[in-house]
Structures are given as C-alpha cells and as structure tokens.
Amino acid sequence: MKFIHRLNRNFLQLDLRYFFRNSFYNILAYAISIVCTLLITYLIANKISSNDTGIYRYIYSWYGIISGVMLSGITTSLTISIAKGYNSLRSAFFYKAFCSIFGVCASLVVAGYYFYNDNSTLSIGFILLGLSIPLLELSGLYSSYLQGREDFKKASTLTIFNKISTLLLMLIFIYILHYTNSHSLLISNVFLVGITQTVYVYSLAKKDKERQNIPAKHLNKKDPTLLPYAIHLTLMGVIFTIGQQADKLILFSMFGSTTLAAYWIATTIPLEAQRFIAQITTIYIPKLVRADTGSLVFKKKFIRTVLIATMILCIGCGLYWISAPMIFSYLFPKYITYTFISQIFFLNIILIPSIFSWSFFLLQGNIKKTYLYHVADPLIQISLYVVFIILFGSTTVMPIIYAILAKNVIMAILGLTLFINTKPSNSSISHEQLV
C-alpha cells in the first residue's frame, strides 16, 4: 500500500481517497460479474450447440444495433445531468419509453422478414427480442442515474443482481427444464433477465430517497440540455453502433452461426477484461464533469497515468498469453483451436488508457471531436475489415481480429494527439451551450 501511495504521489497524482472510497463496490461487482460471465460462457460452450449459440449471438447483435438508435445517448446524458445536480430521471425515463416503441417495431419488422423467408427460428428469436427491448432499455437507465449520484454501492448491487439472476436462470433452463436451443438462451438471458431486472430496479427506486443528494437550486428544475445532448450522442453513435456489431454480422453472413459462436467464445474473456477496466474509469466521470480537464497540469497528469497504466496492462496481457491455453483446455475444450484468436484479441486491452482520451471531449461537451470519434471509429473499422479480408483472404476470422486491433491502434494515437494539442479556450464548449 505504501508503494501505491508513493507511486501516486510521484507520478499519477490522482485522488486515491476518492477512488478507493468509490471503487470497492465497483470492483467487487465486476469481480462477481466476471465469474458469473465465465460460468455462463462455460455453460453455453459446453451445453449448447455451436449452431444455436451462433444464432443467439446473431440476434443479440441486432439488439445492439436497434438499441443504438433508441436514444442510446440518454444514458450518458442522464449521468452528466444528475452529476450536475438536476433531477432528470423521470424525464429520461419518459424519453426512453417513447423511443422503445420504435425499437419493438423494428424488431418485429425483422421477425416478419425472416418469417416471410421461412426461417421460423430467427423469426421467433426476433419476436422474443422485441418483447425484451422495453424491459432492458428502461431498467438500464437506473444504473446511469446511480452513477451520476456517485451511489456506486447501489449501482454495484444492480450489476451483481443482473449477473447472478442470469446465471441462475440459465442453470434452471439447462439442468431442470433441459432446454438448450437458441430460443431458450433468448428467454433466459434476455427476456426473463429483463423482467427480473425491471422488478429489482422498481424496488430500488421505490425505496430511494431521490431528493436527498440533489442541491436545492436544482430540486424542481429540469435540465434543458438533457434531451438535446442525448440526441447529439445518439446521432453520433448510430454509425459507431453499427461498426461495433459489424464483425458479428460479417461472420454470420460469411461463415455461419458455428464460426460466430467460436468467435464469441474466443473474445469473451478479453472483452470482459476491457469492460472491467472501462468500468473503473467511470468512477471518475462525476469528478471529471466538474474538473478543468483542459488545463496543462491535467494533461501532464493524464499522460503519466496513461503510460503507467499501459505498462501495467502489458504485464497483464503477457500473463493472459501464458495462461490462455490452459484456460481454454479446461473451460472451452470444444473451442481450443481458437485460443490464438483470444490471445491476439486480448492485445486490445493495452490501448484502453490511450483511447480513454476521447472521453474528455465528451465530458467537456466538445461536439466536433466527439462526432469525429463516433464517425471515424466505425468508418475506419469497416474499411479495415474490407482491406484485411482482401489481403488475408476470407477463409478464416483472422482478418476481422487484425482489423479490430489495427483500428484501436489508430484511434489511440489519434485520440492522444488531439487531446495533447487541444486548447480548452478554443475547442471546448460548455454543456449548456449545446442548446
């Protein structure tokens, strides 16, 4: 512990008291979440056929695209609004509920398309997805609200509840009901999870004394920037969302459900590690909203932090490369040939600290650079998919893996360059200036 404080005092200069006070519950929640995710992935990999697993992941990828256009920016906008002291939860809930109607319709349209083409499996799957969308989208808002209030304990209990309930539902479907097809995965992992999450969030909200942590000057005021900023974030995120799901759609269309299933199994551990690190960074969002993130002192502190964090993550990456063969032999023996793909994909974790530099443009309300990120990222990604498939061929998934890694390198370098050269007086606009 003394070494950590000495390292922080000489190099990082972070508010460790704030971090440790608020990170305990987040780290605990994500530790439990990772364990549950590994158990869920283990069950799917060993109890569900590759074909059904691939179909499930394909349908769930469409959920990512559909949810991306349903005012997805309201989550970040709500967190920032609450951190600024506004009581915006009810307004955010109303906006999200209205947009969820379009999400349900979109899912049913896709279901109708597959029904027309005599694919009942995908048709029923998209109907189940459509029924789940309002439950998942509306209950998911409460986590953003808790993050804005810096109530990390409740936010963490919500994460823990969601993961444990998902695991328990899967165990019931596999070992008691003996349902092991793609529809059972959608019912247990999506629809019923949406119901249990909604019930739990409702119980939390009912007990919550919402006015306790809201400054009196904002108590009865609506945040005029809540909806406009959410719309900005949603518009800039549409192409970004498609880019994030493009790899699954490409693999499903080129190789089928079995290859998509193997790709998902191979990338599960790397993606969970990335989400864990990203979740830790969200602890500082309420603090960064109120900080002078464009100052020279802050930039120097951030660069030091990036360098040290990158070195630490390099060590973690090396450990995973060594342990990955053993992990796959025990947990995912059916997919052991995809171990190398998992190792390559894990390299992306090294770039997370550098890519986080783009977050400061979002927090400062720098619309131009935030739009640049959300447009450049998917366009570069999709372009690299095409280039790498042409260069390396379309017989394996490796071009997809290399393209993702190359894109993250480009975005990390670009983000750091723009962050270092940004002058706060000329390139940032305040949150209020968005309307």
Side-chain angles (χ1 to χ4, degrees):
M1 185 61 69
K2 289 183 179 179
F3 171 76
I4 294 176
H5 282 286
R6 190 180 302 114
L7 177 67
N8 181 64
R9 183 175 63 252
N10 295 331
F11 298 100
L12 303 178
Q13 299 176 11
L14 298 174
D15 187 350
L16 288 184
R17 182 178 299 178
Y18 178 89
F19 176 78
F20 287 120
R21 184 175 71 247
N22 295 310
S23 66
F24 172 78
Y25 295 108
N26 276 46
I27 293 175
L28 174 64
Y30 260 76
I32 296 174
S33 175
I34 289 173
V35 172
C36 290
T37 299
L38 288 177
L39 290 174
I40 292 170
T41 308
Y42 171 81
L43 290 173
I44 294 176
N46 294 280
K47 302 296 181 180
I48 310 294
S49 70
S50 298
N51 179 59
D52 285 315
T53 300
I55 291 172
Y56 161 70
R57 290 309 305 177
Y58 172 71
I59 295 173
Y60 198 76
S61 298
W62 274 102
Y63 168 63
I65 294 175
I66 293 172
S67 65
V69 299
M70 291 189 304
L71 200 65
S72 57
I74 195 68
T75 54
T76 301
S77 184
L78 176 62
T79 299
I80 294 175
S81 179
I82 295 297
K84 289 166 70 80
Y86 287 99
N87 185 1
S88 305
L89 180 60
R90 183 173 297 180
S91 298
F93 183 88
F94 173 80
Y95 298 141
K96 194 66 171 177
F98 179 77
C99 292
S100 294
I101 298 173
F102 297 97
V104 174
C105 293
S107 184
L108 294 179
V109 167
V110 178
Y113 167 80
Y114 282 111
F115 179 78
Y116 178 77
N117 287 277
D118 297 323
N119 193 328
S120 59
T121 300
L122 289 176
S123 180
I124 295 173
F126 277 100
I127 290 174
L128 290 171
L129 179 62
L131 296 174
S132 308
I133 284 175
L135 300 170
L136 295 171
E137 291 294 303
L138 294 176
S139 60
L141 276 178
Y142 200 69
S143 179
S144 300
Y145 164 73
L146 293 174
Q147 291 286 345
R149 284 185 56 181
E150 301 179 57
D151 193 344
F152 300 109
K153 181 178 181 179
K154 285 186 179 178
S156 300
T157 58
L158 181 57
T159 300
I160 294 172
F161 175 84
N162 291 340
K163 281 297 182 180
I164 292 179
S165 62
T166 304
L167 177 60
L168 291 177
L169 287 168
M170 272 212 66
L171 290 171
I172 291 172
F173 268 73
I174 291 175
Y175 290 104
I176 297 179
L177 301 178
H178 302 291
Y179 292 156
T180 57
N181 56 27
S182 58
H183 294 157
S184 66
L185 282 175
L186 286 167
I187 294 172
S188 61
N189 285 18
V190 183
F191 180 65
L192 291 181
V193 167
I195 292 177
T196 56
Q197 181 175 296
T198 300
V199 172
Y200 185 66
V201 164
Y202 177 77
S203 65
L204 283 179
K206 191 174 181 180
K207 296 176 183 178
D208 185 39
K209 297 179 180 179
E210 189 175 358
R211 299 190 174 198
Q212 188 174 1
N213 294 330
I214 299 176
K217 65 178 181 178
H218 291 325
L219 191 59
N220 296 313
K221 291 184 178 181
K222 292 184 178 180
D223 185 358
T225 66
L226 176 69
L227 182 58
Y229 198 46
I231 293 174
H232 275 297
L233 295 177
T234 302
L235 290 176
M236 68 178 67
V238 170
I239 302 177
F240 183 80
T241 301
I242 295 174
Q244 284 186 317
Q245 303 301 330
D247 55 341
K248 290 88 170 176
L249 303 182
I250 291 172
L251 289 173
F252 187 85
S253 61
M254 290 180 60
F255 301 104
S257 57
T258 301
T259 300
L260 176 57
Y263 172 82
W264 172 64
I265 297 295
T267 57
T268 293
I269 295 178
L271 286 175
E272 283 301 310
Q274 292 176 40
R275 292 188 186 104
F276 176 73
I277 296 172
Q279 182 66 21
I280 291 177
T281 61
T282 62
I283 295 172
Y284 276 99
I285 285 181
K287 197 174 184 67
L288 290 172
V289 170
R290 301 184 290 267
D292 183 12
T293 56
S295 68
L296 182 61
V297 174
F298 182 87
K299 287 181 180 181
K300 290 181 178 179
K301 184 190 298 185
F302 176 75
I303 296 300
R304 286 197 301 267
T305 305
V306 166
L307 292 175
I308 294 175
T310 301
M311 287 188 290
I312 294 173
L313 292 175
C314 283
I315 297 173
C317 188
L319 293 175
Y320 182 74
W321 267 72
I322 296 171
S323 59
M326 182 178 62
I327 293 173
F328 270 71
S329 64
Y330 281 102
L331 295 181
F332 318 123
K334 191 164 62 174
Y335 299 96
I336 196 168
T337 54
Y338 282 77
T339 304
F340 180 67
I341 290 176
S342 185
Q343 292 171 312
I344 293 292
F345 202 90
F346 204 89
L347 293 174
N348 289 292
I349 199 173
I350 300 173
L351 302 168
I352 292 178
S354 301
I355 294 176
F356 186 70
S357 58
W358 288 97
S359 299
F360 297 116
F361 302 131
L362 170 66
L363 297 175
Q364 292 174 348
N366 193 319
I367 295 299
K368 290 183 178 180
K369 287 188 173 61
T370 307
Y371 263 109
L372 174 64
Y373 171 70
H374 283 86
V375 173
D377 185 282
L379 290 181
I380 292 173
Q381 184 69 88
I382 295 172
S383 299
L384 288 174
Y385 284 151
V386 175
V387 172
F388 278 58
I389 287 174
I390 293 174
L391 290 177
F392 297 100
S394 58
T395 57
T396 68
V397 302
M398 291 311 298
I400 302 295
I401 302 295
Y402 292 143
I404 293 174
L405 182 60
K407 182 267 299 183
N408 285 333
V409 170
I410 294 171
M411 294 307 296
I413 295 173
L414 182 59
L416 279 177
T417 302
L418 291 175
F419 174 75
I420 293 171
N421 293 293
T422 294
K423 297 179 181 180
S425 59
N426 294 329
S427 51
S428 308
I429 58 175
S430 68
H431 190 53
E432 286 77 4
Q433 286 178 304
L434 292 170
V435 292

